[in-house]
C-alpha cells in the first residue's frame, strides 16, 4: 500500500505520541454511515478493519478518514421541485412565491435524500513522530484541510505547521530546468509545466516528452516559470513536484522488486511490510527534497 500523493505538514521532531490515547481521542469522531436525513458523514475508520483507529508499525502511525456523501444532483431536486410547483399552482390558482419555493425545495430534498445513493471515499494519513512528518495521501489541499480540521478537533496536542523551505519550489524548479541539471540524488523526467505570470497565464506542458533544454530556456527567458516538474529520486521513486510543495503521482520503482524476498503470504504482515518500506523511503525522499530546496525556513522567519 503506497501513497500516491503527499500533502506535507510538520510536527515537532521526536514527538511522543501515546497510541492508545490517540485511538481514544479519534473514537470521539469515529465514522458512521449517513443516516436517512444526512447528506454527508465523515469520521475516522480502522485502517485494518479492526477496533483500532490507529495502526502502528514501529513508531510509524497510520490513520484513515472515511467520508460518505449522498449523490443527489441539484438538477434532480430542481426537476422534482418544478413539477411540484406546477401541481401547487394548479391547486391554489397562483404560482408559489419565493419563500414557498424555498420551503418546497427543502421538502423535496428531505424526501429524496433517503433514496439517494451514498459514495464512500477514503483519505489515508501517515504520522512519523520520529522525523516530525504528517503526510496526507491527497492531491487536493481542500481534502487535506478536512483531515487536519477533524484531527485537531479530536486532539490539540499535535502542533501542526505547513512545511516551509528557504527556496520556493517554483524558483528552484525553474533554476533546475534552466541549467538542465537536477540537484544531487534527483533526475529530471519527461513531464513539466511552465506558466507565465501575465494576465493570460500562458502555459507550456511537456507530457511524456523529452524536454529540450534550448526550448525550455527560451520559455524561461520569456518570463515563464516552472510550476510542475517530474523527478526521480535515487532511481527509487518517481514523482511530480508542484509549486505549492504538493507531491503527486508517486510511483515506487525497483524497490518493490528488491523487497519481494521479504514478503509473506499473510495479508497483515504484507501490509505492515509495505507500510514500513513506504515510510522509510518517503522519509528519505523528503529529507533530500527539503535539502535541495535550501533547507527548512526557521520558525521565527516562517511566522
Amino acid at each position: 500500500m503506497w501513497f500516491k500523493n503527499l500533502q506535507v505538514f510538520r510536527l515537532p521532531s521526536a514527538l511522543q505520541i501515546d497510541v492508545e490515547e490517540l485511538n481514544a481521542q479519534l473514537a470521539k469522531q469515529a465514522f458512521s454511515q449517513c443516516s436517512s436525513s444526512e447528506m454527508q458523514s465523515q469520521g475516522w475508520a480502522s485502517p485494518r478493519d479492526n477496533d483500532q483507529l490507529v495502526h502502528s508499525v514501529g513508531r510509524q502511525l497510520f490513520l484513515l478518514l472515511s467520508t460518505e456523501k449522498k449523490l443527489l444532483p441539484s438538477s434532480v431536486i430542481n426537476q422534482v421541485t418544478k413539477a411540484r410547483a406546477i401541481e401547487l399552482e394548479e391547486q391554489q390558482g397562483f404560482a408559489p412565491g419565493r419563500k414557498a419555493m424555498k420551503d418546497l425545495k427543502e421538502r423535496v430534498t428531505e424526501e429524496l435524500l433517503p433514496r439517494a445513493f451514498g459514495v464512500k471515499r477514503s483519505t489515508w494519513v501517515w504520522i512519523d513522530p520520529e522525523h516530525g512528518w504528517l503526510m496526507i495521501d491527497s492531491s487536493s489541499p481542500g481534502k487535506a484541510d478536512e483531515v487536519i480540521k477533524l484531527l485537531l478537533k479530536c486532539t490539540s496536542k499535535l502542533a501542526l505547521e505547513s512545511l516551509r523551505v528557504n527556496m520556493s519550489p517554483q524558483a528552484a524548479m525553474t533554476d533546475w530546468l534552466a541549467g538542465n541539471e537536477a540537484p544531487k540524488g534527483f533526475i529530471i523526467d519527461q513531464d513539466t509545466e511552465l506558466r507565465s505570470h501575465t494576465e493570460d497565464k500562458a502555459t507550456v506542458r511537456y507530457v511524456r516528452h523529452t524536454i529540450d533544454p534550448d526550448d525550455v530556456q527560451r520559455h524561461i527567458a520569456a518570463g515563464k516559470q516552472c510550476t510542475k516538474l517530474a523527478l526521480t529520486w535515487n532511481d527509487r521513486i518517481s514523482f511530480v513536484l508542484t509549486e505549492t510543495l504538493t507531491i503527486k503521482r508517486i510511483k515506487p520503482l525497483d524497490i518493490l522488486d528488491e523487497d519481494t524476498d521479504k514478503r509473506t503470504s499473510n495479508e497483515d504482515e504484507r501490509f505492515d511490510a509495505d507500510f514500513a518500506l513506504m515510510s522509510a523511503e518517503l522519509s528519505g525522499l523528503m529529507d533530500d527534497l527539503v535539502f535541495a530546496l535550501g533547507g527548512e525556513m526557521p520558525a521565527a522567519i516562517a511566522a
Side-chain angles (χ1 to χ4, degrees):
M1 192 286 177
W2 275 74
F3 282 23
K4 295 181 175 62
N5 307 282
L6 289 180
Q7 297 283 343
V8 185
F9 296 87
R10 259 310 192 187
L11 293 167
S13 296
L15 179 68
Q16 298 297 318
I17 296 180
D18 186 303
V19 174
E20 292 302 321
E21 181 182 359
L22 180 58
N23 192 79
Q25 291 170 334
L26 297 182
K28 300 173 186 176
Q29 298 290 333
F31 174 77
S32 59
Q33 290 186 318
C34 289
S35 68
S36 60
S37 60
E38 287 181 314
M39 180 66 79
Q40 178 174 299
S41 179
Q42 190 173 66
W44 302 104
S46 171
R48 299 304 297 142
D49 293 325
N50 52 33
D51 60 350
Q52 297 299 307
L53 299 178
V54 181
H55 183 71
S56 61
V57 179
R59 292 199 62 217
Q60 307 299 308
L61 309 179
F62 210 25
L63 314 179
L64 176 63
L65 181 70
S66 284
T67 302
E68 183 182 29
K69 188 173 184 178
K70 296 284 187 67
L71 290 181
L72 187 54
S74 58
S75 59
V76 174
I77 296 174
N78 292 336
Q79 182 179 352
V80 176
T81 301
K82 184 178 180 180
R84 298 284 177 82
I86 292 174
E87 293 177 1
L88 189 60
E89 182 177 359
E90 292 175 349
Q91 293 172 5
Q92 62 188 17
F94 59 90
R98 180 177 298 179
K99 185 178 184 303
M101 284 295 295
K102 181 181 178 182
D103 293 341
L104 182 59
K105 188 173 183 178
E106 289 177 354
R107 291 198 300 271
V108 167
T109 302
E110 291 174 359
E111 179 185 326
L112 296 177
L113 199 54
R115 291 181 279 167
F117 183 72
V119 176
K120 284 183 66 175
R121 63 174 170 85
S122 298
T123 306
W124 296 93
V125 184
W126 160 39
I127 301 176
D128 180 356
E130 184 176 358
H131 300 99
W133 295 115
L134 186 143
M135 312 279 199
I136 299 172
D137 185 4
S138 176
S139 61
S140 165
K143 290 181 181 177
D145 286 344
E146 290 180 4
V147 172
I148 297 303
K149 286 178 182 178
L150 195 62
L151 188 57
L152 294 180
K153 189 175 182 180
C154 296
T155 174
S156 59
K157 291 186 177 181
L158 295 179
L160 279 172
E161 295 180 354
S162 297
L163 174 62
R164 296 179 175 88
V165 289
N166 285 307
M167 184 181 295
S168 79
Q170 187 177 80
M173 292 187 295
T174 303
D175 286 347
W176 299 341
L177 279 176
N180 194 31
E181 185 176 1
K184 183 179 179 181
F186 295 88
I187 297 172
I188 295 175
D189 291 333
Q190 293 187 320
D191 287 28
T192 191
E193 177 181 285
L194 297 108
R195 187 176 64 227
S196 71
H197 290 284
T198 56
E199 187 175 345
D200 61 0
K201 301 291 183 183
T203 302
V204 174
R205 294 186 180 93
Y206 291 80
V207 180
R208 294 185 293 277
H209 192 285
T210 300
I211 298 173
D212 182 271
D214 293 336
D215 191 31
V216 166
Q217 287 179 3
R218 282 195 295 271
H219 287 299
I220 293 173
K224 295 184 180 69
Q225 289 194 306
C226 183
T227 54
K228 294 179 184 177
L229 183 63
L231 298 163
T232 292
W233 172 71
N234 285 342
D235 296 324
R236 302 177 73 79
I237 298 174
S238 67
F239 64 98
V240 173
L241 177 64
T242 76
E243 61 184 324
T244 60
L245 253 183
T246 297
I247 298 173
K248 299 182 177 182
R249 288 165 40 192
I250 296 170
K251 183 180 179 182
L253 302 178
D254 295 338
I255 53 179
L256 294 183
D257 295 332
E258 294 172 9
D259 197 53
T260 299
D261 294 339
K262 302 177 184 178
R263 292 177 178 271
T264 171
S265 58
N266 182 287
E267 183 180 346
D268 289 333
E269 291 180 2
R270 186 167 61 250
F271 182 93
D272 287 354
D274 283 344
F275 182 34
L277 177 65
M278 181 194 79
S279 59
E281 294 293 334
L282 290 183
S283 288
L285 165 62
M286 287 306 305
D287 287 343
D288 285 356
L289 183 59
V290 169
F291 182 80
L293 293 171
E296 287 193 64
M297 188 181 294
I301 297 177

